[in-house]
Amino acid sequence: DTEVTQTPKHLVMGMTNKKSLKCEQHMGHRAMYWYKQKAKKPPELMFVYSYEKLSINESVPSRFSPECPNSSLLNLHLHALQPEDSALYLCASSYGRDDKNIQYFGAGTRLSVL
Amino acid sequence: SQQGEEDPQALSIQEGENATMNCSYKTSINNLQWYRQNSGRGLVHLILIRSNEREKHSGRLRVTLDTSKKSSSLLITASRAADTASYFCAGGGQYTGGFKTIFGAGTRLFVKA
């Protein structure tokens, strides 16, 4: 199983809503990532978890809150988002980091903030 | 804080032709990867080349890496309509905060049948 599953596929939320994005992998990968991608732009790294611990936060606003409940699951909790946060949110996982950092991506959650 | 710039930004070719995309990066890397993204979907890993390698092949893909020029190229031979996608290079290395993979701006490839 080389799949990273993201739910939901689409999400529309108001600026006062609280929602969560979910990501799951069963490949035994120990590193998991959240990226944000705007149209016609490359993915921008947001967070990296390594062995279930947050290792990198790319100065992401606190309205985005990541969580890694176990080695297979990664969540991104959203609260009080702004319209400019509308984007494709991609989750990825890799066996490790350094030279074992080939990343497997989910299909993404397309988020619209109204 | 993108690592790489890619050239060209967009490329349109006929089926059967070869497509070459170039990538430049700014800092030292341990490896450089290429990924493909079909419209609005997740990225798919294509090939990884380590910093001590100069060339690598995988099927119709050929990747070169020149660490002295901080550049890489991806060649897709005998292109097919199904190769239409965006292609991103991604440099993996030590940055502030730890090991990261940073993506370049990407090249949008259109292969006309």
Side-chain angles (χ1 to χ4, degrees), chain B residues 12-78:
Chain B
S12 182
I13 59 174
Q14 290 291 136
E15 205 167 32
E17 293 180 340
N18 295 343
T20 299
M21 290 161 262
N22 303 299
C23 165
S24 61
Y25 56 92
K26 298 174 184 174
T27 62
S28 295
I29 56 170
N30 289 32
N31 62 55
L32 190 131
Q33 301 178 53
W34 286 88
Y35 288 82
R36 183 187 75 212
Q37 184 178 33
N38 287 83
S39 182
R41 298 189 59 79
L43 282 77
V44 175
H45 178 262
L46 296 175
I47 194 165
L48 179 151
I49 186 166
R50 291 192 165 82
S51 59
N52 61 354
E53 296 176 311
R54 292 295 168 259
E55 187 171 313
K56 203 159 183 182
H57 296 254
S58 177
R60 292 185 297 114
L61 306 179
R62 173 178 169 255
V63 169
T64 62
L65 180 65
D66 186 336
T67 52
S68 66
K69 295 181 180 176
K70 290 188 166 59
S71 67
S72 174
S73 69
L74 171 68
L75 168 67
I76 303 174
T77 60

Side-chain angles (χ1 to χ4, degrees), chain A residues 35 37 40-45 48 55-56 58 88 90 97-108 110, chain B residues 1-2 30-31 33 35 37 40-43 45 48 50 88 92 94 97-101 103-105 108:
Chain A
Y35 290 88
Q37 186 179 28
K40 297 183 181 178
K41 296 291 186 183
E44 290 184 22
L45 184 65
V48 180
S55 59
I56 293 176
E58 291 285 83
L88 181 67
L90 293 163
R97 296 169 72 191
D98 303 335
D99 276 352
K100 293 177 181 167
N101 67 328
I102 292 174
Q103 293 179 38
Y104 292 79
F105 282 81
R110 187 160 299 282
Chain B
S1 60
Q2 292 171 22
N30 289 32
N31 62 55
Q33 301 178 53
Y35 288 82
Q37 184 178 33
R41 298 189 59 79
L43 282 77
H45 178 262
L48 179 151
R50 291 192 165 82
F88 295 96
Q94 289 292 341
F99 191 93
K100 301 180 200 176
T101 301
F103 286 82
R108 284 180 289 143

